[in-house]
Amino acid sequence: MKKQYILQLFNIEDELLVKNAFEITSKYFNKKIFVRGLIEFSNYCVRNCFYCGLRRDNENLQRYRMDIDEIFQTAKQIIDLGIKTVVLQSGDDFYYTEDMICRIIEKIKKYSKDVAITLSIGERKNESYKKFYYAGTDRFLLKHETSNEELYNKIHPDMNFKRRKEILFLLKEIGFQVGAGNIVGLPAQNLEDIIDDIIFMKELDVDMAGIGPFIPQKDTPFKGFPKGDFNLVLKTLAITRIVLKTPNLPATTATVSLFDDEMKKVEILKKCFLSGANVVMLSFTPENYKKNYKIYDQRKSLDLKIVKQAAESLGLEISFQRGDSLKKCIQQHQKV
Ligand code: SF4
């Protein structure tokens, strides 16, 4: 994939870019917006990322952990609504052992075997990922954040880009539907880095990609830096759709949180859908915990009413179905 080609796309006028992205999305996803049910089950994290309020050195954060039954009851609530994807997300929290994670997965799958489970719990040992897969996990989300190795290593103390990349390719090899994704507008990031992010996701052949803006959090080293640019997020989303075609692309909570005005949520969502987004994640994390999942400040949440309003105004339909990776659907079809 030539950098020059993607750079040219960044120079195309927005209207044309969006028109193309929306046409591709409509063609592949049949005008559907897939809804996922998200549970943020722990805000403990052993890492210390410069931009994230969950970082271990943040002493101003009230920490919480949900126990296995609480997680299951919340998952049950999502499933009982008919939503067929449950996303389990946390900081890198090793309180939850391999066995505990597997028990949660098995419990949910036992309750509803046709529900898809996405794990987003960060970096673990290679063997652990295999166990999670064999316990029934369908998808794994591990954002690569930035593919600029030097920048990545600088802002992720005790972590490194080589390992991140190695894990992402391992997840693919194991058989997960794999999600990566970047942060747009990180301090010291430039357009070339964003182009490299798209190339990286193309090489990894991602099944999902979470693309969202940088938003500062007051208790992190990156407090005071400006937020990522909304138009650049939309452009990145649209170009990712044009270049990669089929991955599931969420309208991310971070994008919706860029503006203070609550009234703007519908407008923002519409712009994300027009730019290629085909997924939304609705948080079902109990309210007493949700307020402390402070990855960044002024985090907003979405509800079904707003998503419906945005989708229907564009002639799109909300779907609670699994919305598996199209690549997986094609593979299964070929096996038949
Ligand atoms: S970005 Fe993820 S790994 Fe880094 S501190 Fe936040 S929750 Fe932890």
Side-chain angles (χ1 to χ4, degrees):
M1 175 65 53
K2 290 263 182 344
K3 270 191 188 187
Q4 199 55 32
Y5 166 65
I6 299 180
L7 181 60
Q8 278 169 3
L9 292 177
F10 271 99
N11 289 325
I12 287 179
E13 59 174 294
D14 293 358
E15 216 174 298
L16 192 59
L17 212 54
V18 162
K19 186 174 175 286
N20 257 280
F22 190 63
E23 273 173 15
I24 295 170
T25 317
S26 304
K27 175 182 155 193
Y28 283 105
F29 297 98
N30 209 12
K31 301 212 161 213
K32 286 196 168 65
I33 300 292
F34 293 101
V35 174
R36 320 294 199 203
L38 171 68
I39 309 171
E40 295 132 324
F41 63 90
S42 161
N43 70 351
Y44 279 82
C45 189
V46 295
R47 318 283 179 202
N48 227 0
C49 309
F50 278 19
Y51 49 85
C52 178
L54 268 52
R55 65 198 311 268
R56 66 167 186 261
D57 283 356
N58 182 7
E59 289 173 0
N60 294 329
L61 183 67
Q62 199 182 329
R63 304 280 173 172
Y64 70 85
R65 285 186 177 116
M66 290 169 66
D67 66 30
I68 293 184
D69 192 54
E70 236 177 336
I71 298 170
F72 172 68
Q73 290 305 330
T74 314
K76 195 167 166 288
Q77 195 191 325
I78 294 169
I79 296 165
D80 291 348
L81 279 173
I83 297 174
K84 298 234 179 284
T85 295
V86 174
V87 183
L88 300 172
Q89 190 169 66
S90 69
D92 288 23
D93 183 3
F94 293 90
Y95 164 85
Y96 299 90
T97 60
E98 259 172 24
D99 283 354
M100 283 167 83
I101 299 286
C102 289
R103 246 187 295 149
I104 297 166
I105 305 296
E106 283 158 3
K107 223 168 145 62
I108 297 173
K109 282 283 179 168
K110 196 172 168 200
Y111 182 69
S112 174
K113 67 174 177 1
D114 61 340
V115 80
I117 299 178
T118 305
L119 270 186
S120 175
I121 57 169
E123 296 194 12
R124 298 259 173 161
K125 288 188 290 189
N126 290 1
E127 309 81 74
S128 304
Y129 293 119
K130 289 181 190 154
K131 289 189 182 156
F132 301 150
Y133 182 75
Y134 291 114
T137 309
D138 302 87
R139 308 171 187 155
F140 205 102
L141 178 60
L142 187 76
K143 286 180 71 176
H144 70 279
E145 318 293 7
T146 173
S147 56
N148 176 329
E149 186 162 357
E150 199 188 332
L151 178 61
Y152 183 97
N153 293 347
K154 215 172 184 170
I155 67 178
H156 298 96
D158 336 315
M159 296 163 87
N160 67 77
F161 186 67
K162 281 198 176 62
R163 174 65 183 148
R164 197 73 165 185
K165 198 171 161 183
E166 180 185 272
I167 296 173
L168 280 163
F169 280 91
L170 172 76
L171 293 169
K172 278 240 108 169
E173 202 182 299
I174 293 173
F176 288 105
Q177 296 173 46
V178 175
N182 62 343
I183 305 176
V184 174
L186 278 169
Q189 182 190 49
N190 58 38
L191 185 59
E192 202 184 331
D193 295 330
I194 296 174
I195 293 172
D196 285 340
D197 286 333
I198 297 172
I199 295 173
F200 175 74
M201 291 191 285
K202 171 90 181 156
E203 278 169 10
L204 180 63
D205 196 19
V206 288
D207 300 288
M208 334 174 242
I211 295 165
F214 164 74
I215 301 181
Q217 206 284 330
K218 67 178 178 45
D219 302 304
T220 66
F222 276 176
K223 68 175 176 202
F225 280 97
K227 291 176 184 175
D229 178 75
F230 181 50
N231 284 327
L232 186 57
V233 173
L234 292 180
K235 272 198 150 176
T236 308
L237 191 59
I239 294 170
T240 304
R241 172 61 72 212
I242 291 167
V243 173
L244 276 71
K245 307 276 187 293
T246 59
N248 282 312
L249 299 179
T252 60
T253 315
T255 310
V256 178
S257 303
L258 265 177
F259 300 92
D260 297 333
D261 186 351
E262 285 284 319
M263 300 300 288
K264 279 198 166 166
K265 280 182 183 172
V266 173
E267 288 312 305
I268 297 167
L269 271 181
K270 278 169 73 174
K271 288 193 174 177
C272 291
F273 295 154
L274 286 168
S275 303
N278 70 310
V279 166
V280 282
M281 293 206 218
L282 301 185
S283 172
F284 286 80
T285 309
E287 288 301 327
N288 52 328
Y289 299 133
K290 200 195 292 185
K291 61 180 190 291
N292 287 314
Y293 204 78
K294 286 185 190 160
I295 304 176
Y296 46 82
D297 289 332
Q298 268 106 43
R299 193 160 178 254
K300 302 260 186 309
S301 56
L302 287 170
D303 60 50
L304 199 54
K305 198 173 143 218
I306 288 171
V307 176
K308 263 189 156 177
Q309 206 181 325
E312 285 170 3
S313 70
L314 298 172
L316 305 170
E317 184 197 330
I318 297 292
S319 172
F320 283 0
Q321 293 309 305
R322 287 171 57 115
D324 276 306
S325 162
L326 289 182
K327 284 189 278 278
K328 190 174 173 74
C329 297
I330 292 164
Q331 279 164 10
Q332 277 172 348
H333 186 71
Q334 283 168 344
K335 273 186 208 159
V336 176

